[in-house]
Amino acid sequence: MKVYDVIVIGAGPAGLSAGLYAGRAKLDTLIIEKQKYGGQIVITSEIENYPGGTEGETGPSLIERMVKQTEHFGCEKVFDTIQEVELEGDVKVLKGINDEYRAKTVIIAAGANPMPIGCPGEKELTGKGVSYCATCDAGFFEDFEVYVVGGGDSAVEEALYLTKFARKVTIIHRRDELRAAKSIQEKAFKNDKIEFMWDSVVEEIKGDGIVESMVVKNVKTGELTEVTADEEDGTFGIFVFIGYKPQSALFEGKVDMERGYILTDADMKTNIPGVFAAGDIRAKSLRQVVTAAADGAIAAVQAGKYIEEHE
Ligand code: NAP
């Protein structure tokens, strides 16, 4: 069976950057992606802070160019879901649903997934009013009311994006102060369409096949309020942006982690020789496209060095 030089797990900015650098270094490289290229960035409406980015850059447009670049440098790609990994030893084995893959080095760039609120009704009504992606679902709420849960950069940026569609956007935040960067906060405070429900958490989402109401609790007073859909609308949107969970379950007990995030050194090396991690799955202080891309580049260069030293 073929043994690749490098297998990258995940085709978000970290994985694609790793693929680009590995391919360009003439390493025989395969990127394995579970669903679709881009990871979380494809659900991002606007990318303002990727250096040199053009105005109006979206997640999908940036990813499309990244994918093309990896192809240009001869990086192979396959869609499969890895279910089992054997990372010790000189040849790493990755078992997917469709096939088994082998490589001298592995770069784990599987990213993170949106965190759910975890309240009753949320799961049942996902895609029926509950969403984790404004870019994907904002269009369904043209002239409706929407609620955004969270207070970080994602919540506030996506709330701003949603004002282009919804007639009113209410940010529900569990504290009385936003976590988002000051520049983003300022835009939100200036926007007439945005309102705030401070010190509040969503306790339950209700509806028969579509969101009709939700119960919100004031964490300071304990008071419960049922927010119901405007009678004419019959529904409203709930967009959840309360952080992300690393997709690292597959590597538990195999690679050193902290709170589910994979630990690496500055060269993206994990505790296992020949195994690297890059991007949002890694324990780090700043999770951005630019840091994911940087991680991927470093991991690929280090994978090349590892191969050289072991030949
Ligand atoms: P985040 O920074 O972790 O913020 C999560 C927000 O959700 C916080 O306000 C948090 O409240 C709240 N929250 C967490 N758990 C909750 C729960 N169970 N119930 C209710 N609220 C909850 O996540 P993020 O906004 O998705 O951002 C993730 C990373 O991406 C950050 O590093 C961020 O800077 C970065 N990012 C950057 C940009 C940009 O630079 N343009 C855009 C998007 C994301 P507390 O504040 O009380 O903890």
Side-chain angles (χ1 to χ4, degrees), residues 49 150-155 157 173-175 179 184 241-244 287-288:
N49 52 1
D153 287 336
S154 303
E157 277 197 344
H173 183 36
R174 64 181 178 183
R175 292 186 292 138
R179 177 182 291 278
I184 302 173
F241 300 103
I242 58 169
Y244 297 90
R287 295 194 174 85
Q288 298 271 292

Side-chain angles (χ1 to χ4, degrees), residues 101-217:
Y101 311 87
R102 286 165 194 257
K104 295 173 191 164
T105 64
V106 171
I107 299 175
I108 304 167
N113 267 339
M115 197 114 82
I117 303 170
C119 70
E122 181 184 21
K123 220 179 189 171
E124 295 78 358
L125 292 164
T126 292
K128 295 163 183 157
V130 178
S131 170
Y132 305 87
C133 174
T135 330
C136 319
D137 299 329
F140 298 126
F141 296 95
E142 188 89 51
D143 214 25
F144 279 74
E145 286 188 6
V146 304
Y147 292 80
V148 168
V149 185
D153 287 336
S154 303
V156 182
E157 277 197 344
E158 299 307 313
L160 282 160
Y161 175 73
L162 282 160
T163 60
K164 296 179 192 166
F165 300 84
R167 67 168 184 271
K168 192 174 107 187
V169 178
T170 306
I171 295 179
I172 302 175
H173 183 36
R174 64 181 178 183
R175 292 186 292 138
D176 59 2
E177 204 183 349
L178 295 172
R179 177 182 291 278
K182 288 278 178 277
S183 58
I184 302 173
Q185 290 193 26
E186 275 167 21
K187 283 192 202 167
F189 291 137
K190 269 195 225 151
N191 193 308
D192 290 341
K193 278 191 171 178
I194 297 184
E195 290 181 11
F196 294 88
M197 279 175 92
W198 301 110
D199 301 312
S200 300
V201 293
V202 178
E203 290 273 288
E204 188 178 355
I205 302 171
K206 299 181 189 175
D208 188 9
I210 193 163
V211 169
E212 288 163 8
S213 72
M214 71 178 153
V215 179
V216 178
K217 181 173 143 189

Side-chain angles (χ1 to χ4, degrees), residues 219-266:
V219 291
K220 283 200 173 146
T221 63
E223 190 190 343
L224 296 175
T225 309
E226 183 149 359
V227 176
T228 48
D230 180 279
E231 229 171 78
E232 265 187 31
D233 295 345
T235 186
F236 56 86
I238 305 172
F239 287 81
V240 182
F241 300 103
I242 58 169
Y244 297 90
K245 192 178 180 304
Q247 296 198 72
S248 60
L250 186 59
F251 310 101
E252 254 163 44
K254 302 196 170 176
V255 180
D256 286 350
M257 293 184 201
E258 195 178 79
R259 293 180 301 110
Y261 290 101
I262 296 177
L263 294 170
T264 70
D265 66 7

